[in-house]
PDB file of all heavy atoms in Angstrom:
ATOM      1  N   LEU A   1    -144.069  44.390-192.940  1.00  0.00           N
ATOM      2  CA  LEU A   1    -143.596  43.017-192.772  1.00  0.00           C
ATOM      3  C   LEU A   1    -142.164  42.996-192.243  1.00  0.00           C
ATOM      4  O   LEU A   1    -141.817  42.162-191.393  1.00  0.00           O
ATOM      5  CB  LEU A   1    -143.672  42.273-194.109  1.00  0.00           C
ATOM      6  CG  LEU A   1    -145.070  41.901-194.597  1.00  0.00           C
ATOM      7  CD1 LEU A   1    -145.025  41.470-196.052  1.00  0.00           C
ATOM      8  CD2 LEU A   1    -145.669  40.799-193.731  1.00  0.00           C
ATOM      9  N   ALA A   2    -141.340  43.911-192.734  1.00  0.00           N
ATOM     10  CA  ALA A   2    -139.943  43.966-192.288  1.00  0.00           C
ATOM     11  C   ALA A   2    -139.863  44.304-190.802  1.00  0.00           C
ATOM     12  O   ALA A   2    -138.963  43.819-190.097  1.00  0.00           O
ATOM     13  CB  ALA A   2    -139.171  44.996-193.105  1.00  0.00           C
ATOM     14  N   ARG A   3    -140.783  45.129-190.313  1.00  0.00           N
ATOM     15  CA  ARG A   3    -140.783  45.453-188.880  1.00  0.00           C
ATOM     16  C   ARG A   3    -141.088  44.207-188.055  1.00  0.00           C
ATOM     17  O   ARG A   3    -140.444  43.941-187.041  1.00  0.00           O
ATOM     18  CB  ARG A   3    -141.810  46.559-188.589  1.00  0.00           C
ATOM     19  CG  ARG A   3    -141.878  46.946-187.106  1.00  0.00           C
ATOM     20  CD  ARG A   3    -142.859  48.069-186.836  1.00  0.00           C
ATOM     21  NE  ARG A   3    -142.377  49.323-187.408  1.00  0.00           N
ATOM     22  CZ  ARG A   3    -142.919  49.931-188.453  1.00  0.00           C
ATOM     23  NH1 ARG A   3    -143.975  49.399-189.075  1.00  0.00           N
ATOM     24  NH2 ARG A   3    -142.429  51.059-188.901  1.00  0.00           N
ATOM     25  N   TRP A   4    -142.071  43.432-188.484  1.00  0.00           N
ATOM     26  CA  TRP A   4    -142.365  42.170-187.801  1.00  0.00           C
ATOM     27  C   TRP A   4    -141.146  41.248-187.827  1.00  0.00           C
ATOM     28  O   TRP A   4    -140.769  40.664-186.804  1.00  0.00           O
ATOM     29  CB  TRP A   4    -143.563  41.488-188.462  1.00  0.00           C
ATOM     30  CG  TRP A   4    -143.851  40.113-187.928  1.00  0.00           C
ATOM     31  CD1 TRP A   4    -143.281  38.944-188.334  1.00  0.00           C
ATOM     32  CD2 TRP A   4    -144.757  39.780-186.863  1.00  0.00           C
ATOM     33  NE1 TRP A   4    -143.771  37.887-187.613  1.00  0.00           N
ATOM     34  CE2 TRP A   4    -144.679  38.373-186.704  1.00  0.00           C
ATOM     35  CE3 TRP A   4    -145.614  40.514-186.060  1.00  0.00           C
ATOM     36  CZ2 TRP A   4    -145.450  37.705-185.760  1.00  0.00           C
ATOM     37  CZ3 TRP A   4    -146.387  39.842-185.114  1.00  0.00           C
ATOM     38  CH2 TRP A   4    -146.293  38.455-184.971  1.00  0.00           C
ATOM     39  N   ASP A   5    -140.533  41.111-189.003  1.00  0.00           N
ATOM     40  CA  ASP A   5    -139.359  40.251-189.136  1.00  0.00           C
ATOM     41  C   ASP A   5    -138.271  40.658-188.148  1.00  0.00           C
ATOM     42  O   ASP A   5    -137.628  39.800-187.522  1.00  0.00           O
ATOM     43  CB  ASP A   5    -138.787  40.342-190.551  1.00  0.00           C
ATOM     44  CG  ASP A   5    -139.733  39.827-191.622  1.00  0.00           C
ATOM     45  OD1 ASP A   5    -140.708  39.120-191.286  1.00  0.00           O
ATOM     46  OD2 ASP A   5    -139.497  40.135-192.802  1.00  0.00           O
ATOM     47  N   ARG A   6    -138.067  41.956-188.021  1.00  0.00           N
ATOM     48  CA  ARG A   6    -136.967  42.463-187.195  1.00  0.00           C
ATOM     49  C   ARG A   6    -137.202  42.223-185.712  1.00  0.00           C
ATOM     50  O   ARG A   6    -136.273  41.833-184.994  1.00  0.00           O
ATOM     51  CB  ARG A   6    -136.781  43.959-187.481  1.00  0.00           C
ATOM     52  CG  ARG A   6    -135.556  44.564-186.796  1.00  0.00           C
ATOM     53  CD  ARG A   6    -135.181  45.889-187.426  1.00  0.00           C
ATOM     54  NE  ARG A   6    -136.163  46.945-187.182  1.00  0.00           N
ATOM     55  CZ  ARG A   6    -137.013  47.436-188.069  1.00  0.00           C
ATOM     56  NH1 ARG A   6    -137.040  46.934-189.306  1.00  0.00           N
ATOM     57  NH2 ARG A   6    -137.850  48.406-187.773  1.00  0.00           N
ATOM     58  N   PHE A   7    -138.410  42.431-185.254  1.00  0.00           N
ATOM     59  CA  PHE A   7    -138.658  42.369-183.814  1.00  0.00           C
ATOM     60  C   PHE A   7    -139.229  41.030-183.351  1.00  0.00           C
ATOM     61  O   PHE A   7    -138.956  40.610-182.223  1.00  0.00           O
ATOM     62  CB  PHE A   7    -139.611  43.493-183.395  1.00  0.00           C
ATOM     63  CG  PHE A   7    -138.985  44.851-183.445  1.00  0.00           C
ATOM     64  CD1 PHE A   7    -139.319  45.749-184.442  1.00  0.00           C
ATOM     65  CD2 PHE A   7    -138.039  45.236-182.502  1.00  0.00           C
ATOM     66  CE1 PHE A   7    -138.741  47.006-184.502  1.00  0.00           C
ATOM     67  CE2 PHE A   7    -137.450  46.486-182.552  1.00  0.00           C
ATOM     68  CZ  PHE A   7    -137.801  47.378-183.552  1.00  0.00           C
ATOM     69  N   ILE A   8    -140.005  40.362-184.189  1.00  0.00           N
ATOM     70  CA  ILE A   8    -140.668  39.123-183.768  1.00  0.00           C
ATOM     71  C   ILE A   8    -140.026  37.905-184.405  1.00  0.00           C
ATOM     72  O   ILE A   8    -139.743  36.913-183.733  1.00  0.00           O
ATOM     73  CB  ILE A   8    -142.173  39.156-184.114  1.00  0.00           C
ATOM     74  CG1 ILE A   8    -142.832  40.420-183.555  1.00  0.00           C
ATOM     75  CG2 ILE A   8    -142.857  37.903-183.576  1.00  0.00           C
ATOM     76  CD1 ILE A   8    -142.862  40.516-182.066  1.00  0.00           C
ATOM     77  N   GLY A   9    -139.791  37.950-185.723  1.00  0.00           N
ATOM     78  CA  GLY A   9    -139.199  36.809-186.421  1.00  0.00           C
ATOM     79  C   GLY A   9    -140.067  36.372-187.583  1.00  0.00           C
ATOM     80  O   GLY A   9    -140.687  37.194-188.252  1.00  0.00           O
ATOM     81  N   ALA A  10    -140.130  35.064-187.806  1.00  0.00           N
ATOM     82  CA  ALA A  10    -140.865  34.525-188.957  1.00  0.00           C
ATOM     83  C   ALA A  10    -142.359  34.819-188.836  1.00  0.00           C
ATOM     84  O   ALA A  10    -142.920  34.812-187.734  1.00  0.00           O
ATOM     85  CB  ALA A  10    -140.635  33.025-189.058  1.00  0.00           C
ATOM     86  N   ASP A  11    -143.003  35.056-189.984  1.00  0.00           N
ATOM     87  CA  ASP A  11    -144.448  35.268-189.983  1.00  0.00           C
ATOM     88  C   ASP A  11    -145.206  34.011-190.408  1.00  0.00           C
ATOM     89  O   ASP A  11    -146.412  34.037-190.617  1.00  0.00           O
ATOM     90  CB  ASP A  11    -144.839  36.455-190.872  1.00  0.00           C
ATOM     91  CG  ASP A  11    -144.557  36.223-192.347  1.00  0.00           C
ATOM     92  OD1 ASP A  11    -143.769  35.305-192.666  1.00  0.00           O
ATOM     93  OD2 ASP A  11    -145.124  36.970-193.177  1.00  0.00           O
ATOM     94  N   ARG A  12    -144.486  32.893-190.544  1.00  0.00           N
ATOM     95  CA  ARG A  12    -145.102  31.590-190.780  1.00  0.00           C
ATOM     96  C   ARG A  12    -144.183  30.537-190.170  1.00  0.00           C
ATOM     97  O   ARG A  12    -142.977  30.743-190.060  1.00  0.00           O
ATOM     98  CB  ARG A  12    -145.321  31.339-192.271  1.00  0.00           C
ATOM     99  CG  ARG A  12    -144.059  31.342-193.108  1.00  0.00           C
ATOM    100  CD  ARG A  12    -144.370  31.086-194.574  1.00  0.00           C
ATOM    101  NE  ARG A  12    -143.160  31.034-195.395  1.00  0.00           N
ATOM    102  CZ  ARG A  12    -142.695  32.039-196.122  1.00  0.00           C
ATOM    103  NH1 ARG A  12    -143.339  33.209-196.117  1.00  0.00           N
ATOM    104  NH2 ARG A  12    -141.592  31.899-196.844  1.00  0.00           N
ATOM    105  N   TRP A  13    -144.753  29.406-189.796  1.00  0.00           N
ATOM    106  CA  TRP A  13    -143.936  28.373-189.173  1.00  0.00           C
ATOM    107  C   TRP A  13    -144.628  27.008-189.254  1.00  0.00           C
ATOM    108  O   TRP A  13    -145.830  26.911-189.473  1.00  0.00           O
ATOM    109  CB  TRP A  13    -143.611  28.702-187.709  1.00  0.00           C
ATOM    110  CG  TRP A  13    -144.738  29.296-186.903  1.00  0.00           C
ATOM    111  CD1 TRP A  13    -144.887  30.613-186.547  1.00  0.00           C
ATOM    112  CD2 TRP A  13    -145.864  28.606-186.347  1.00  0.00           C
ATOM    113  NE1 TRP A  13    -146.035  30.775-185.814  1.00  0.00           N
ATOM    114  CE2 TRP A  13    -146.650  29.577-185.675  1.00  0.00           C
ATOM    115  CE3 TRP A  13    -146.295  27.282-186.342  1.00  0.00           C
ATOM    116  CZ2 TRP A  13    -147.841  29.244-184.999  1.00  0.00           C
ATOM    117  CZ3 TRP A  13    -147.482  26.941-185.692  1.00  0.00           C
ATOM    118  CH2 TRP A  13    -148.232  27.922-185.030  1.00  0.00           C
ATOM    119  N   ARG A  14    -143.817  25.990-189.070  1.00  0.00           N
ATOM    120  CA  ARG A  14    -144.293  24.606-188.967  1.00  0.00           C
ATOM    121  C   ARG A  14    -143.793  24.031-187.654  1.00  0.00           C
ATOM    122  O   ARG A  14    -142.629  24.229-187.283  1.00  0.00           O
ATOM    123  CB  ARG A  14    -143.766  23.782-190.143  1.00  0.00           C
ATOM    124  CG  ARG A  14    -144.004  22.289-189.984  1.00  0.00           C
ATOM    125  CD  ARG A  14    -143.441  21.499-191.151  1.00  0.00           C
ATOM    126  NE  ARG A  14    -143.561  20.063-190.918  1.00  0.00           N
ATOM    127  CZ  ARG A  14    -143.300  19.126-191.819  1.00  0.00           C
ATOM    128  NH1 ARG A  14    -142.895  19.495-193.035  1.00  0.00           N
ATOM    129  NH2 ARG A  14    -143.438  17.855-191.519  1.00  0.00           N
ATOM    130  N   HIS A  15    -144.689  23.321-186.959  1.00  0.00           N
ATOM    131  CA  HIS A  15    -144.309  22.717-185.686  1.00  0.00           C
ATOM    132  C   HIS A  15    -144.952  21.336-185.617  1.00  0.00           C
ATOM    133  O   HIS A  15    -146.186  21.212-185.668  1.00  0.00           O
ATOM    134  CB  HIS A  15    -144.772  23.593-184.525  1.00  0.00           C
ATOM    135  CG  HIS A  15    -144.089  23.308-183.234  1.00  0.00           C
ATOM    136  ND1 HIS A  15    -142.743  23.550-183.016  1.00  0.00           N
ATOM    137  CD2 HIS A  15    -144.562  22.798-182.070  1.00  0.00           C
ATOM    138  CE1 HIS A  15    -142.422  23.207-181.778  1.00  0.00           C
ATOM    139  NE2 HIS A  15    -143.504  22.748-181.186  1.00  0.00           N
ATOM    140  N   ASP A  16    -144.152  20.269-185.509  1.00  0.00           N
ATOM    141  CA  ASP A  16    -144.646  18.896-185.487  1.00  0.00           C
ATOM    142  C   ASP A  16    -144.746  18.386-184.066  1.00  0.00           C
ATOM    143  O   ASP A  16    -143.784  18.506-183.282  1.00  0.00           O
ATOM    144  CB  ASP A  16    -143.716  17.981-186.304  1.00  0.00           C
ATOM    145  CG  ASP A  16    -143.759  18.303-187.791  1.00  0.00           C
ATOM    146  OD1 ASP A  16    -144.865  18.506-188.310  1.00  0.00           O
ATOM    147  OD2 ASP A  16    -142.684  18.365-188.415  1.00  0.00           O
ATOM    148  N   LEU A  17    -145.912  17.785-183.747  1.00  0.00           N
ATOM    149  CA  LEU A  17    -146.163  17.272-182.397  1.00  0.00           C
ATOM    150  C   LEU A  17    -146.976  15.986-182.459  1.00  0.00           C
ATOM    151  O   LEU A  17    -148.163  16.013-182.833  1.00  0.00           O
ATOM    152  CB  LEU A  17    -146.949  18.305-181.571  1.00  0.00           C
ATOM    153  CG  LEU A  17    -146.257  19.597-181.167  1.00  0.00           C
ATOM    154  CD1 LEU A  17    -147.297  20.562-180.587  1.00  0.00           C
ATOM    155  CD2 LEU A  17    -145.184  19.326-180.132  1.00  0.00           C
ATOM    156  N   ASP A  18    -146.373  14.856-182.144  1.00  0.00           N
ATOM    157  CA  ASP A  18    -147.091  13.607-181.899  1.00  0.00           C
ATOM    158  C   ASP A  18    -148.166  13.288-182.937  1.00  0.00           C
ATOM    159  O   ASP A  18    -149.348  13.129-182.605  1.00  0.00           O
ATOM    160  CB  ASP A  18    -147.724  13.634-180.501  1.00  0.00           C
ATOM    161  CG  ASP A  18    -146.675  13.700-179.398  1.00  0.00           C
ATOM    162  OD1 ASP A  18    -145.513  13.338-179.666  1.00  0.00           O
ATOM    163  OD2 ASP A  18    -147.005  14.125-178.274  1.00  0.00           O
ATOM    164  N   GLY A  19    -147.763  13.199-184.188  1.00  0.00           N
ATOM    165  CA  GLY A  19    -148.709  12.838-185.230  1.00  0.00           C
ATOM    166  C   GLY A  19    -149.489  13.998-185.807  1.00  0.00           C
ATOM    167  O   GLY A  19    -150.338  13.811-186.689  1.00  0.00           O
ATOM    168  N   TRP A  20    -149.208  15.199-185.314  1.00  0.00           N
ATOM    169  CA  TRP A  20    -149.851  16.408-185.815  1.00  0.00           C
ATOM    170  C   TRP A  20    -148.789  17.339-186.402  1.00  0.00           C
ATOM    171  O   TRP A  20    -147.676  17.427-185.890  1.00  0.00           O
ATOM    172  CB  TRP A  20    -150.568  17.151-184.685  1.00  0.00           C
ATOM    173  CG  TRP A  20    -151.871  16.536-184.276  1.00  0.00           C
ATOM    174  CD1 TRP A  20    -152.041  15.451-183.468  1.00  0.00           C
ATOM    175  CD2 TRP A  20    -153.174  16.965-184.671  1.00  0.00           C
ATOM    176  NE1 TRP A  20    -153.373  15.175-183.322  1.00  0.00           N
ATOM    177  CE2 TRP A  20    -154.097  16.095-184.039  1.00  0.00           C
ATOM    178  CE3 TRP A  20    -153.655  17.995-185.467  1.00  0.00           C
ATOM    179  CZ2 TRP A  20    -155.476  16.230-184.200  1.00  0.00           C
ATOM    180  CZ3 TRP A  20    -155.026  18.138-185.630  1.00  0.00           C
ATOM    181  CH2 TRP A  20    -155.920  17.250-185.009  1.00  0.00           C
ATOM    182  N   THR A  21    -149.174  18.051-187.446  1.00  0.00           N
ATOM    183  CA  THR A  21    -148.357  19.141-187.975  1.00  0.00           C
ATOM    184  C   THR A  21    -149.139  20.430-187.820  1.00  0.00           C
ATOM    185  O   THR A  21    -150.242  20.574-188.372  1.00  0.00           O
ATOM    186  CB  THR A  21    -148.011  18.922-189.456  1.00  0.00           C
ATOM    187  OG1 THR A  21    -147.148  17.784-189.573  1.00  0.00           O
ATOM    188  CG2 THR A  21    -147.279  20.130-190.022  1.00  0.00           C
ATOM    189  N   LEU A  22    -148.580  21.354-187.050  1.00  0.00           N
ATOM    190  CA  LEU A  22    -149.173  22.675-186.884  1.00  0.00           C
ATOM    191  C   LEU A  22    -148.543  23.600-187.914  1.00  0.00           C
ATOM    192  O   LEU A  22    -147.320  23.725-187.976  1.00  0.00           O
ATOM    193  CB  LEU A  22    -148.916  23.230-185.485  1.00  0.00           C
ATOM    194  CG  LEU A  22    -149.173  22.310-184.288  1.00  0.00           C
ATOM    195  CD1 LEU A  22    -148.907  23.065-182.983  1.00  0.00           C
ATOM    196  CD2 LEU A  22    -150.576  21.753-184.312  1.00  0.00           C
ATOM    197  N   LEU A  23    -149.365  24.236-188.736  1.00  0.00           N
ATOM    198  CA  LEU A  23    -148.887  25.157-189.756  1.00  0.00           C
ATOM    199  C   LEU A  23    -149.447  26.544-189.452  1.00  0.00           C
ATOM    200  O   LEU A  23    -150.662  26.772-189.549  1.00  0.00           O
ATOM    201  CB  LEU A  23    -149.328  24.696-191.147  1.00  0.00           C
ATOM    202  CG  LEU A  23    -148.779  23.340-191.605  1.00  0.00           C
ATOM    203  CD1 LEU A  23    -149.376  22.950-192.944  1.00  0.00           C
ATOM    204  CD2 LEU A  23    -147.253  23.357-191.682  1.00  0.00           C
ATOM    205  N   GLY A  24    -148.568  27.461-189.075  1.00  0.00           N
ATOM    206  CA  GLY A  24    -148.970  28.827-188.800  1.00  0.00           C
ATOM    207  C   GLY A  24    -148.673  29.708-189.997  1.00  0.00           C
ATOM    208  O   GLY A  24    -147.561  29.687-190.532  1.00  0.00           O
ATOM    209  N   VAL A  25    -149.671  30.482-190.447  1.00  0.00           N
ATOM    210  CA  VAL A  25    -149.498  31.324-191.626  1.00  0.00           C
ATOM    211  C   VAL A  25    -149.939  32.755-191.320  1.00  0.00           C
ATOM    212  O   VAL A  25    -150.673  33.015-190.362  1.00  0.00           O
ATOM    213  CB  VAL A  25    -150.280  30.775-192.845  1.00  0.00           C
ATOM    214  CG1 VAL A  25    -149.728  29.441-193.279  1.00  0.00           C
ATOM    215  CG2 VAL A  25    -151.774  30.673-192.542  1.00  0.00           C
ATOM    216  N   ASN A  26    -149.482  33.662-192.166  1.00  0.00           N
ATOM    217  CA  ASN A  26    -149.804  35.084-192.053  1.00  0.00           C
ATOM    218  C   ASN A  26    -151.110  35.342-192.789  1.00  0.00           C
ATOM    219  O   ASN A  26    -151.154  35.395-194.009  1.00  0.00           O
ATOM    220  CB  ASN A  26    -148.664  35.908-192.657  1.00  0.00           C
ATOM    221  CG  ASN A  26    -148.872  37.400-192.532  1.00  0.00           C
ATOM    222  OD1 ASN A  26    -149.975  37.880-192.250  1.00  0.00           O
ATOM    223  ND2 ASN A  26    -147.812  38.173-192.746  1.00  0.00           N
ATOM    224  N   ALA A  27    -152.201  35.511-192.038  1.00  0.00           N
ATOM    225  CA  ALA A  27    -153.530  35.676-192.638  1.00  0.00           C
ATOM    226  C   ALA A  27    -153.629  36.931-193.483  1.00  0.00           C
ATOM    227  O   ALA A  27    -154.395  36.983-194.450  1.00  0.00           O
ATOM    228  CB  ALA A  27    -154.592  35.709-191.542  1.00  0.00           C
ATOM    229  N   GLN A  28    -152.857  37.959-193.118  1.00  0.00           N
ATOM    230  CA  GLN A  28    -152.968  39.237-193.818  1.00  0.00           C
ATOM    231  C   GLN A  28    -152.395  39.190-195.234  1.00  0.00           C
ATOM    232  O   GLN A  28    -152.673  40.075-196.037  1.00  0.00           O
ATOM    233  CB  GLN A  28    -152.270  40.329-193.014  1.00  0.00           C
ATOM    234  CG  GLN A  28    -153.125  40.981-191.937  1.00  0.00           C
ATOM    235  CD  GLN A  28    -153.920  40.022-191.101  1.00  0.00           C
ATOM    236  OE1 GLN A  28    -153.380  39.210-190.361  1.00  0.00           O
ATOM    237  NE2 GLN A  28    -155.223  40.077-191.225  1.00  0.00           N
ATOM    238  N   LEU A  29    -151.625  38.163-195.556  1.00  0.00           N
ATOM    239  CA  LEU A  29    -151.054  38.059-196.894  1.00  0.00           C
ATOM    240  C   LEU A  29    -152.069  37.591-197.934  1.00  0.00           C
ATOM    241  O   LEU A  29    -151.938  37.906-199.113  1.00  0.00           O
ATOM    242  CB  LEU A  29    -149.865  37.101-196.885  1.00  0.00           C
ATOM    243  CG  LEU A  29    -148.587  37.611-196.239  1.00  0.00           C
ATOM    244  CD1 LEU A  29    -147.541  36.503-196.176  1.00  0.00           C
ATOM    245  CD2 LEU A  29    -148.032  38.822-196.993  1.00  0.00           C
ATOM    246  N   PHE A  30    -153.101  36.850-197.514  1.00  0.00           N
ATOM    247  CA  PHE A  30    -154.042  36.279-198.470  1.00  0.00           C
ATOM    248  C   PHE A  30    -154.849  37.388-199.142  1.00  0.00           C
ATOM    249  O   PHE A  30    -155.610  38.104-198.496  1.00  0.00           O
ATOM    250  CB  PHE A  30    -154.978  35.286-197.776  1.00  0.00           C
ATOM    251  CG  PHE A  30    -154.282  34.050-197.285  1.00  0.00           C
ATOM    252  CD1 PHE A  30    -153.954  33.906-195.951  1.00  0.00           C
ATOM    253  CD2 PHE A  30    -153.949  33.032-198.172  1.00  0.00           C
ATOM    254  CE1 PHE A  30    -153.321  32.761-195.490  1.00  0.00           C
ATOM    255  CE2 PHE A  30    -153.306  31.882-197.727  1.00  0.00           C
ATOM    256  CZ  PHE A  30    -152.988  31.751-196.381  1.00  0.00           C
ATOM    257  N   GLY A  31    -154.664  37.530-200.439  1.00  0.00           N
ATOM    258  CA  GLY A  31    -155.336  38.580-201.182  1.00  0.00           C
ATOM    259  C   GLY A  31    -154.591  39.892-201.205  1.00  0.00           C
ATOM    260  O   GLY A  31    -155.086  40.886-201.737  1.00  0.00           O
ATOM    261  N   SER A  32    -153.363  39.913-200.656  1.00  0.00           N
ATOM    262  CA  SER A  32    -152.591  41.156-200.594  1.00  0.00           C
ATOM    263  C   SER A  32    -151.920  41.503-201.915  1.00  0.00           C
ATOM    264  O   SER A  32    -151.634  42.666-202.195  1.00  0.00           O
ATOM    265  CB  SER A  32    -151.523  41.057-199.501  1.00  0.00           C
ATOM    266  OG  SER A  32    -150.507  40.129-199.873  1.00  0.00           O
ATOM    267  N   GLY A  33    -151.607  40.489-202.718  1.00  0.00           N
ATOM    268  CA  GLY A  33    -150.881  40.719-203.957  1.00  0.00           C
ATOM    269  C   GLY A  33    -149.398  40.934-203.786  1.00  0.00           C
ATOM    270  O   GLY A  33    -148.683  41.172-204.771  1.00  0.00           O
TER     271      GLY A  33
END
């Protein structure tokens, strides 16, 4: 995860567009503990 943070940035985000909220999440975290 730290490698992603360093080179790419956030692994989740929110982006609002014209009445829509886009929520991007890290799928690999679900069930990871």
Side-chain angles (χ1 to χ4, degrees):
L1 288 167
R3 180 178 291 110
W4 174 275
D5 296 344
R6 187 163 68 253
F7 289 107
I8 307 295
D11 66 343
R12 60 180 182 261
W13 41 256
R14 170 181 174 172
H15 198 67
D16 293 316
L17 291 170
D18 296 339
W20 283 79
T21 293
L22 313 182
L23 297 175
V25 295
N26 183 345
Q28 274 45 65
L29 287 174
F30 293 101
S32 69

